[in-house]
Amino acid sequence: MSVHAFPSVLGVGPQRTGSTWLHEQLSQHPALCFPHNVKETFFFDRYYGRGFDWYAWHFGHAAAEQVPVEIGPTYFDDEAVPERVYEANPDCRIIVTLREPVARARSLYQHHLRKGRVSGSFSDAVEQMPRILTAGHYAEHVERWISLFGRDHLHIVLLDDIRQTPVEALSGVCDFLGIPVLAPTEQAFAKTNAASMPRFPWLAAQAARAVTALRSRRFHRLVEWGKALGLNRVYQGNDALPQLTTQETERVQDQFAPDVEYVERLTGRPLPHWTHARPAATA
């Protein structure tokens, strides 16, 4: 096991903000060690009751000099997680990836729609899974992490920078962690294809539940084997994913306005592309 405090680094998301990119890039670094055969353990939110030995098992392959790292985007907005992490290691370094909140909410809605976890319009989905919306309240959730770990132990990475200047974004993360700068892989510059609705939503929902059950029992290799065989095509189809209506977009923009202002203050950067023009009032 590593001689470093455990865990030493957490990437806490939230979902659909670039956490997969962060994992793919940092997992190439020889100074870092990630959970065995799985990206997310869900320990600090979903499986905390299983005890710390259960979590440590995922890092049993770490060399003594390696720093244990996990990228867990579902940790971001769970009220209990920061205190649990702080209790484990008050010196843990926290990486927060952020994205324009309306686009993040839309992307998470479409993600859960593809997995069969929600159905209907964006508004319908938010009723079924409020976290689609509430995880975007950055002012509340980021501040919770800062209140425990301090601003100097938290590093913000914007999805805009990941897309536009990935070399600089990755360099900033490495500097924050105090490790040699890593040259980004080709995946750092890759663009993903547009997602689509699954042809059989009921089958996609069953597949998603099966994967969750297998992961909970540590059958990570079986899940990865299924992906290699192309079984994740069950989440794909021909129809384009639905978008938010104009009314939904305007309502969400209003709700997230304080969070956009918060991120601007926190980073010291104006984010005009995060600030949407509001429609003129009608008589």
Side-chain angles (χ1 to χ4, degrees):
M1 193 55 222
S2 172
V3 298
H4 295 276
F6 183 68
S8 292
V9 180
L10 281 183
V12 299
Q15 291 176 283
R16 316 306 290 177
T17 60
S19 60
T20 297
W21 178 90
L22 186 66
H23 180 271
E24 289 175 346
Q25 297 306 310
L26 291 183
S27 62
Q28 309 300 315
H29 205 298
L32 307 177
C33 175
F34 287 77
H36 186 56
N37 284 336
V38 67
K39 175 189 169 189
E40 303 166 56
T41 68
F42 299 101
F43 171 69
F44 286 103
D45 52 358
R46 191 179 300 172
Y47 301 125
Y48 191 68
R50 297 187 178 186
F52 207 78
D53 287 345
W54 183 90
Y55 186 56
W57 175 89
H58 293 84
F59 296 89
H61 59 293
E65 68 279 3
Q66 286 185 306
V67 176
V69 182
E70 183 184 7
I71 309 298
T74 62
Y75 294 160
F76 175 72
D77 57 314
D78 189 309
E79 293 184 10
V81 169
E83 289 189 1
R84 291 171 177 175
V85 176
Y86 188 81
E87 183 178 354
N89 178 18
D91 201 41
C92 185
R93 291 187 172 270
I94 309 299
I95 303 172
V96 178
T97 52
L98 295 177
R99 177 182 188 178
E100 189 277 304
V102 177
R104 186 215 61 83
R106 180 181 64 245
S107 180
L108 188 56
Y109 157 56
Q110 294 173 339
H111 170 74
H112 288 312
L113 200 62
R114 291 179 62 231
K115 297 297 180 71
R117 297 175 182 138
V118 298
S119 60
S121 68
F122 176 79
S123 297
D124 294 334
V126 168
E127 289 187 7
Q128 298 162 39
M129 191 176 289
R131 203 173 190 180
I132 292 172
L133 193 65
T134 59
H137 291 306
Y138 299 153
E140 173 187 355
H141 303 308
V142 174
E143 200 61 31
R144 187 184 299 119
W145 289 95
I146 291 177
S147 68
L148 285 174
F149 293 92
R151 181 66 180 90
D152 60 334
H153 272 59
L154 185 139
H155 182 67
I156 302 291
V157 183
L158 301 184
L159 182 62
D160 306 280
D161 296 335
I162 290 174
R163 288 172 168 171
Q164 298 169 14
T165 56
V167 174
E168 291 79 359
L170 184 57
S171 176
V173 172
C174 292
D175 289 344
F176 171 68
L177 299 181
I179 58 178
V181 174
L182 182 71
T185 66
E186 292 184 2
Q187 183 63 30
F189 309 95
K191 294 183 179 179
T192 57
N193 295 323
S196 59
M197 280 291 292
R199 185 171 284 105
F200 304 107
W202 62 270
L203 184 58
Q206 292 295 329
R209 282 193 285 269
V211 167
T212 298
L214 290 171
R215 291 289 194 195
S216 71
R217 292 167 175 79
R218 295 177 177 171
F219 293 141
H220 306 308
R221 287 187 177 180
L222 182 59
V223 174
E224 296 305 316
W225 177 73
K227 288 183 179 180
L229 291 178
L231 298 183
N232 57 348
R233 287 196 295 269
V234 70
Y235 302 122
Q236 302 171 3
N238 298 321
D239 296 331
L241 289 165
Q243 303 295 320
L244 277 66
T245 66
T246 300
Q247 292 78 10
E248 289 171 335
T249 299
E250 292 172 356
R251 184 170 64 251
V252 175
Q253 287 170 359
D254 286 341
Q255 291 185 33
F256 286 143
D259 301 291
V260 173
E261 294 173 0
Y262 173 81
V263 176
E264 289 182 322
R265 292 194 304 270
L266 187 65
T267 61
R269 294 172 55 178
L271 300 169
H273 50 296
W274 283 30
T275 305
H276 301 271
R278 302 188 183 200
T282 57

